[in-house]
Amino acid sequence: MSAKKQSVLANVRELPSNLWHSIFRNPLPHNDVERSATSFTNFFLHIHPVKVNKNTLRPIYTMGLGLMSFFLFVILVVSGILLMFYYVPSTEQAYDRMLDLRGSVAFGTFLRNMHRWAAHGMVAVVFFHMCRVFFTGAYKRPREFNWVLGVVLLLITLFLSFTGYLLPWDQLAFWAITVGTAIAGYAPLIGKQIRFLLLGDASVGQEALLRFYVLHVALLPAIATLLIAIHFWRIRKDGGLSRPARAEGKPELSISVQAVELDPKRTYGLQGLVRGPLVKVGNVPENSVYSWPNLLIAELFALVVTLAIILIVSLLFNAPLEEPVNVMHPPNPAKAPWYFLGLQEMVSYSAFWGGVGVPGLFVLLLILTPYLDRSPGGVGLWFSRKRLLANTVFLTFVIVNIAFIVIGTFFRGPNWSFVTPW
Amino acid sequence: MGLNPRRDAGTDSDDRASRRRLLGWLSGVGLFGSGILSAFSNFVFIKPRATYGAPQRFTAGKPSDYPDGTRVALEPRRVCIVRDGNKLAAISTTCTHLGCIVGLSETGFACPCHGSRYDQDGTVTGGPAPKPLAWYKVSLAPNGELEIDKDVEVNPGTYLNV
């Protein structure tokens, strides 16, 4: 380029387009090279591969559940930050602030509804996402550790819900947390200490409210954000979303570098170290399409659906708020949030086994699943016949969990005695 | 991967290599140790030394405030004062199952949360409660008032004679 002198006026005239091009290096793509470049150079798009397998985009395969969990998390972060402007974590003020949100804050009710329903939704969707991953065998090699991260994220989701549950400081909140932290106290050896650390006192009070608030708005979201980032990053490093194995005899075209021996004394560029699927000119992975716009549209669709559902539900239904805390009178029956009612139902048989032993065993089995089930068959298909045993075991686990939740929700009345809802 | 070509090329003398090894070990132990120490200090930090809750020892009026046959729950204190003839006792109303407050029932105590039931002396008669309700130490303060200490549990059936 020749250093041609331009008048300042001309610079000013070109400023808008220069500014635009300095932000977005590429124009909207019109051919495949530009589509690749767009995915490469945009910060928000570069977590995508340039090309994505068609199987990944089949709505019936993923049902967009992972994305929906993420979008619900985003909605929760945004609405949560907004609610923080008005909330005070004090036993004196917390409940009044809830009433203020309902009465005098613009969009207060609506934001609280969004936060509450997105929280309920996230617990459910994360659970369904886990079911999807299991029933399609997607946790198998090489995705074992991403499954483990997923289980940890499920636990964090539950803990986030649990800590948020106390903040309105109404009767429901107080007694659910009293019961919930008492369950933690049943853990062997360190149970009492955990309970004391959580509550910061002998019983639920100001200290507990402050601690739960800090966990809920700072510590847990930070951990969740970090783990979500690793969870996403690993999807690509583990070779994209799971998909059915290719027909036998056909070589996996996309994997090419692995055959080359790496010499430990030489220095390699990035391409020499990447061992996963590579996109190379004339050696394109089969059955794939460009991420721009195919994957992007799919993601946008999931976002719009998630947002629409949350908005509609928040317009139609108000988040419950019960009487202010009365430490003398537990409601009868005192029930935990619905996703913990299965736990509470089990706890009504035995506090240790129902609250700590069996759930602990469940979580351990979940985490170990990909290391116990090493057979490579049936990946990428819903309810593959090759995975009949594993799927049956997991389905039983799911049904038992849901059954306990249904019993706890609808069939338990005063004094936790059995009632029929009709 | 050739991140450190000098070491890979083997130009270091054994002397230099072993010193580097030692320094590497020391740094590793130092960093790891500091990590453990700070993690531990964090737990020490978040464990409160003093709590702000209600005191565990309190007075509860004169014995004459509780006539024979009284069974009255002091709800904010979470104890139930029982008087049987000249004998007085304080029984906890915190359910031993999961910490709900038990209510007085005709047969003793009943928990609204998970259906635990206790008899008049706090012995478990049904439900998931793992152990009987605690009995607390009751004594007479110099001014003649009852003093209940929730930090001291006594055997069930231990009464104060007044």
Side-chain angles (χ1 to χ4, degrees):
Chain A
M1 287 289 272
S2 62
K4 203 174 72 180
K5 277 209 171 169
Q6 267 198 147
S7 67
V8 177
L9 200 68
N11 284 346
V12 171
R13 206 179 320 119
E14 286 174 12
L15 192 136
S17 82
N18 282 342
L19 183 67
W20 179 264
H21 288 297
S22 70
I23 299 172
F24 300 102
R25 296 283 175 200
N26 295 288
L28 280 180
H30 296 290
N31 58 44
D32 288 353
V33 177
E34 286 173 5
R35 278 180 201 113
S36 309
T38 302
S39 297
F40 250 80
T41 52
N42 184 307
F43 175 81
F44 295 101
L45 297 180
H46 90 280
I47 62 164
H48 294 140
V50 170
K51 297 196 83 176
V52 59
N53 194 287
K54 276 184 188 161
N55 187 70
T56 301
L57 297 176
R58 278 170 54 215
I60 202 75
Y61 182 63
T62 62
M63 303 194 176
L65 289 166
L67 274 175
M68 286 170 78
S69 317
F70 174 66
F71 292 139
L72 285 169
F73 181 71
V74 174
I75 292 173
L76 283 164
V77 169
V78 173
S79 57
I81 288 175
L82 289 171
L83 289 173
M84 279 173 73
F85 279 102
Y86 284 101
Y87 180 76
V88 180
S90 130
T91 52
E92 316 256 297
Q93 287 195 48
Y95 188 79
D96 290 342
R97 293 296 176 136
M98 291 294 119
L99 297 179
D100 286 352
L101 274 179
R102 277 217 298 221
S104 59
V105 176
F107 305 117
T109 309
F110 184 64
L111 272 174
R112 194 169 103 83
N113 291 351
M114 272 183 84
H115 197 72
R116 176 63 70 99
W117 300 134
H120 284 309
M122 188 171 164
V123 172
V125 172
V126 166
F127 183 75
F128 288 135
H129 175 53
M130 183 175 77
C131 294
R132 190 287 284 177
V133 169
F134 194 97
F135 289 129
T136 55
Y139 57 84
K140 297 194 170 194
R141 216 174 80 86
R143 299 180 181 82
E144 303 105 311
F145 192 68
N146 225 11
W147 165 271
V148 175
L149 284 177
V151 175
V152 176
L153 276 168
L154 170 70
L155 297 180
I156 289 180
T157 306
L158 289 173
F159 199 38
L160 268 167
S161 292
F162 182 65
T163 48
Y165 212 73
L166 181 64
L167 304 186
W169 204 247
D170 60 355
Q171 277 286 71
L172 197 67
F174 182 85
W175 292 102
I177 302 307
T178 298
V179 169
T181 50
I183 292 174
Y186 273 93
L189 300 175
I190 49 166
K192 291 274 180 287
Q193 274 91 330
I194 290 178
R195 189 180 125 84
F196 187 67
L197 280 183
L198 265 178
L199 296 182
D201 208 337
S203 58
V204 181
Q206 175 60 60
E207 297 305 299
L209 182 58
L210 188 56
R211 272 162 196 245
F212 274 51
Y213 178 71
V214 172
L215 287 173
H216 187 74
V217 305
L219 192 60
L220 292 173
I223 297 174
T225 307
L226 179 70
L227 290 186
I228 288 172
I230 302 176
H231 199 60
F232 283 3
W233 179 79
R234 280 200 78 107
I235 294 175
R236 285 196 60 194
K237 295 297 164 182
D238 293 343
L241 289 197
S242 60
R243 52 189 168 272
R246 298 159 56 82
E248 275 185 46
K250 291 172 92 178
E252 185 84 63
L253 272 180
S254 56
I255 294 177
S256 50
V257 181
Q258 214 161 10
V260 181
E261 280 285 322
L262 287 176
D263 180 346
K265 287 198 175 169
R266 284 186 56 191
T267 307
Y268 290 90
L270 186 63
Q271 295 251 316
L273 293 172
V274 173
R275 280 157 180 272
L278 268 186
V279 180
K280 293 174 85 183
V281 179
N283 191 6
V284 172
E286 275 183 16
N287 207 18
S288 64
V289 291
Y290 277 93
S291 298
W292 178 291
N294 301 287
L295 179 58
L296 218 66
I297 289 172
E299 289 176 349
L300 218 56
F301 182 73
L303 171 63
V304 169
V305 168
T306 312
L307 204 56
I309 293 174
I310 292 300
L311 289 179
I312 291 170
V313 172
S314 303
L315 282 172
L316 292 180
F317 304 101
N318 277 342
L321 184 67
E322 298 203 349
E323 302 287 300
V325 165
N326 181 346
V327 293
M328 270 85 91
H329 289 287
N332 192 353
K335 286 195 179 186
W338 62 268
Y339 36 84
F340 285 128
L341 277 183
L343 206 63
Q344 196 177 353
E345 172 65 17
M346 291 200 292
V347 160
S348 72
Y349 305 124
S350 155
F352 173 73
W353 284 109
V356 180
V358 173
L361 217 60
F362 266 176
V363 170
L364 196 68
L365 272 178
L366 274 180
I367 287 176
L368 288 179
T369 296
Y371 304 99
L372 297 175
D373 173 20
R374 300 290 290 177
S375 67
V379 175
L381 296 168
W382 277 92
F383 303 110
S384 161
R385 293 298 293 267
K386 287 180 189 162
R387 299 176 20 80
L388 194 62
L389 177 67
N391 281 339
T392 311
V393 171
F394 191 75
L395 191 64
T396 315
F397 159 82
V398 170
I399 289 174
V400 167
N401 264 303
I402 293 177
F404 270 113
I405 288 177
V406 169
I407 293 175
T409 310
F410 297 111
F411 292 86
R412 291 297 178 178
N415 291 333
W416 208 251
S417 54
F418 198 84
V419 293
T420 44
W422 47 84
Chain B
M1 292 197 290
L3 288 173
N4 190 336
R6 262 215 302 159
R7 185 191 281 182
D8 284 352
T11 52
D12 286 329
S13 67
D14 285 350
D15 186 39
R16 279 181 60 89
S18 76
R19 186 168 71 191
R20 175 175 286 176
R21 240 175 112 81
L22 178 70
L23 287 174
W25 267 100
L26 286 179
S27 326
V29 170
L31 277 174
F32 191 68
S34 324
I36 301 238
L37 263 178
S38 52
F40 180 72
S41 340
N42 278 316
F43 275 105
V44 173
F45 171 74
I46 63 166
K47 183 172 180 177
R49 287 186 179 166
T51 56
Y52 303 88
Q56 293 287 84
R57 202 166 72 179
F58 50 89
T59 54
K62 298 208 184 302
S64 52
D65 296 343
Y66 306 97
D68 186 15
T70 299
R71 293 178 65 76
V72 60
L74 306 179
E75 280 174 335
R77 304 291 191 185
R78 294 194 170 202
V79 292
C80 173
I81 307 280
V82 176
R83 177 155 184 175
D84 185 14
N86 285 333
K87 299 185 298 180
L88 262 165
I91 301 177
S92 161
T93 55
T94 301
C95 183
T96 56
H97 179 227
L98 290 174
C100 284
I101 296 189
V102 295
L104 298 182
S105 70
E106 285 170 18
T107 54
F109 303 93
C111 180
C113 291
H114 303 96
S116 292
R117 288 181 302 282
Y118 306 85
D119 69 8
Q120 305 264 359
D121 292 334
T123 312
V124 181
T125 55
K131 50 182 191 181
L133 295 174
W135 288 47
Y136 296 125
K137 187 184 164 203
V138 187
S139 53
L140 274 180
N143 63 358
E145 288 203 34
L146 289 169
E147 188 177 73
I148 296 161
D149 188 352
K150 284 176 73 180
D151 280 331
V152 182
E153 284 189 27
V154 296
N155 289 325
T158 312
Y159 289 91
L160 171 75
N161 284 306
V162 288

